[in-house]
Amino acid sequence: MNGPERLKETPSQTAGPYVHIGLAPGAAGFDIYDTELGRDIAGPEAGGTRIRVEGRVLDGTGNPVRDVLLEVWQANAAGLYAHPEGGGAVEPGFRGWGRAISDFTTGDWAFDTVKPGPSAPGTAPHITFWIVARGINTGLCTRMYFGDEPQANAADPVLNAIEWQSRRATLIAEPAGRDGQTVYRFDIRLQGALETVFFDI
Amino acid sequence: MTALPEYYPRDLARHPAALTPGYKSSVTRGPRFAPISLRQSVGEITGPVFGHGEFGPNDHDLIRNYATSGDAVGERIIVHGRVLDENARPVPGTLVEVWQANAGGRYRHRNDTYMAPIDPNFGGCGRTMTDDAGRYAFRTIKPGAYPWRNTINDWRPAHIHLSVFGASFSQRLITQLYFEGDPLIAICPIVQTLSDPGAVDALTAKLDMDATVPMDSIAWRFDIVLRGRRASLFENRPEGN
């Protein structure tokens, strides 16, 4: 056999202002599919603590991005991903993936899930985010860590790979109690001194 | 957990930069700091899995999937191709989603106020899974070009937005497909965010007479390439990894 053939990856283009009709039509008020993907991240049978995550994406002027779409990908409470290479079987109905769109007026977004467990010893639990919108040329990848896991966060190799201590804080969502549920606040800043850390994965 | 083979690093020069001033929206929305490169762990080499049973039978047929009183208006087309990885292997069972304007260049979206009319029989989105050979196909109408607020007189070439998953979150990709021969491609500020000359060609669907349905629909061929995975040379793994 000769050397393996290599192709070049298809280039990215912005998702544009109307990404919602393609990827979250129901959430955008457009009734076309019987089942919209990405609305139930954990499913009813998942173990662990039910949580809510909410926030806004802010542009370089400090204004909320009101046409953003976020995808999240996470392990279950046992640290397992719903994938053949995810470490083991997860609860029926646990997908660990979901989508949220911002409110077209306020820019607020939110989703409900379970708090993930660490996927490997010495790592901190986190949720992976992928962010697309008009003006974002290639989807942005980041991670949300939990403010109530200070010891795990201090040991996490990814957080520790961020040279600037002040920038590590951009990935940590602080918890608050509301109606008996824990709500984590995660604002994502696209620019500025407090620009959220984005990852090339 | 043992280390799993990673995907090849993304060739960032193949993709647009975050800051592309000709596309004005990027100026306040593109990050300015360099992304931090990560060694992939289990969360990066895995991604969501979808099943064929999650989709409706017409989800890939944009001419019919929102129609109530007749087919969508416009030039009937088929868009098809394969999803491959950088190792030229097919990516089977992966989700491909599309969205687009109607034949007049209008999106069914509350924020689109262009004067071209909404087509009551056209929704503008579709989805399908690739088959065992990585093939996908949609039937739709050719979208119209439309003006947009960038400079006073910018027009988008006819295009279809595509979203593809692959087998891992590190392969996640959103892009746009253009149509061979469209003179608006070369002057589009969003196309011009690409600096690699081969990149624009890679986003241009080619007329495919062999897949055309005579007296019915013109076919366009568009192959998609996702990141490929390293072979792990020093351990025995099943064929295909």
Side-chain angles (χ1 to χ4, degrees):
Chain A
M1 185 173 160
N2 294 324
E5 184 183 0
R6 280 293 298 273
L7 304 176
K8 286 188 168 183
E9 188 187 9
T10 298
S12 175
Q13 291 272 264
T14 180
Y18 308 125
V19 58
H20 324 92
I21 67 172
L23 304 189
F30 167 33
D31 181 22
I32 182 164
Y33 297 137
D34 291 338
T35 308
E36 179 158 303
L37 299 172
R39 297 190 96 160
D40 188 359
I41 297 170
E45 297 180 41
T49 307
R50 296 278 159 174
I51 62 168
R52 186 174 183 84
V53 179
E54 60 186 29
R56 294 189 299 177
V57 178
L58 302 165
D59 72 12
T61 71
N63 284 293
V65 176
R66 299 177 299 160
D67 53 8
V68 71
L69 181 138
L70 306 103
E71 290 191 359
V72 297
W73 174 237
Q74 66 165 87
N76 70 2
L80 306 171
Y81 286 88
H83 184 275
E85 296 178 272
V90 300
E91 301 90 337
F94 179 86
R95 176 125 66 188
W97 170 84
R99 284 172 172 159
I101 64 172
S102 56
D103 182 276
F104 291 127
T105 304
T106 65
D108 292 315
W109 53 262
F111 59 87
D112 296 306
T113 184
V114 296
K115 188 177 179 184
S119 56
T123 68
H126 64 274
I127 297 176
T128 293
F129 278 64
W130 192 70
I131 301 150
V132 295
R134 169 176 65 88
I136 295 174
N137 285 326
T138 305
L140 300 172
C141 186
T142 189
R143 287 181 171 196
M144 186 198 97
Y145 288 85
F146 295 88
D148 47 11
E149 298 278 351
Q151 289 177 314
N153 292 342
D156 185 77
V158 170
L159 283 173
N160 284 317
I162 301 167
E163 176 183 351
W164 310 272
Q165 191 86 33
S166 62
R167 297 202 69 205
R168 295 178 194 173
T170 67
L171 303 186
I172 296 175
E174 295 301 334
R178 187 193 302 158
D179 302 331
Q181 188 186 33
T182 304
V183 179
Y184 293 87
R185 176 85 194 180
F186 188 49
D187 288 324
I188 296 164
R189 291 175 175 79
L190 299 178
Q191 295 178 355
L194 295 176
E195 180 181 308
T196 298
V197 170
F198 297 105
F199 294 109
D200 162 31
I201 62 168
Chain B
M1 175 174 292
T2 55
L4 296 162
E6 298 176 53
Y7 286 78
Y8 302 126
R10 181 163 257 163
D11 177 5
L12 297 178
R14 180 77 168 158
H15 298 281
L19 174 61
T20 48
Y23 173 33
K24 293 183 182 179
S25 294
S26 75
V27 176
T28 53
R29 293 182 167 195
R32 299 300 163 83
F33 295 135
I36 292 177
S37 297
L38 286 191
R39 286 298 299 269
Q40 291 166 3
S41 62
V42 61
E44 286 77 44
I45 58 114
T46 56
V49 177
F50 302 99
H52 289 273
E54 299 186 74
F55 310 117
N58 289 326
D59 282 3
H60 67 301
D61 183 359
L62 284 75
I63 288 180
R64 296 263 166 88
N65 69 9
Y66 196 71
T68 53
S69 61
D71 286 355
V73 171
E75 183 181 324
R76 299 163 69 87
I77 64 170
I78 293 164
V79 173
H80 78 111
R82 298 177 79 194
V83 180
L84 305 167
D85 67 18
E86 290 170 304
N87 294 319
R89 292 185 176 129
V91 181
T94 199
L95 177 61
V96 182
E97 296 164 289
V98 296
W99 68 102
Q100 64 169 89
N102 69 20
R106 175 81 180 268
Y107 286 88
R108 185 177 288 278
H109 191 287
R110 55 184 267 166
N111 291 342
D112 188 356
T113 55
Y114 181 39
M115 63 177 68
I118 290 286
D119 176 353
N121 291 311
F122 187 69
C125 62
R127 58 191 186 181
T128 192
M129 300 268 286
T130 57
D131 70 10
D132 290 345
R135 290 183 294 244
Y136 75 92
F138 291 95
R139 187 169 73 159
T140 185
I141 51 89
K142 190 172 180 187
Y146 59 84
W148 59 298
R149 294 180 189 282
N150 189 59
T151 70
I152 289 297
N153 193 26
D154 277 321
W155 292 75
R156 293 305 323 281
H159 63 278
I160 297 176
H161 297 265
L162 293 101
S163 162
V164 195
F165 279 84
S168 88
F169 219 56
S170 61
Q171 293 175 297
R172 190 80 182 82
L173 180 72
I174 282 181
T175 191
Q176 301 182 28
L177 164 168
Y178 305 102
F179 294 89
E180 183 179 23
D182 185 342
L184 291 171
I185 295 172
I187 58 173
C188 173
I190 289 177
V191 174
Q192 288 170 349
T193 63
L194 297 162
S195 54
D196 175 351
V200 180
D201 185 63
L203 295 184
T204 305
K206 306 299 189 292
L207 180 68
D208 182 1
M209 291 301 290
D210 291 340
T212 290
V213 181
M215 306 304 289
D216 183 332
S217 303
I218 294 173
W220 296 85
R221 168 93 187 206
F222 186 71
D223 290 340
I224 299 163
V225 180
L226 303 179
R227 290 167 69 184
R229 200 166 181 181
R230 293 178 195 281
S232 48
L233 299 177
F234 293 99
E235 58 182 311
N236 294 315
R237 295 183 66 89
E239 181 76 24
N241 284 338

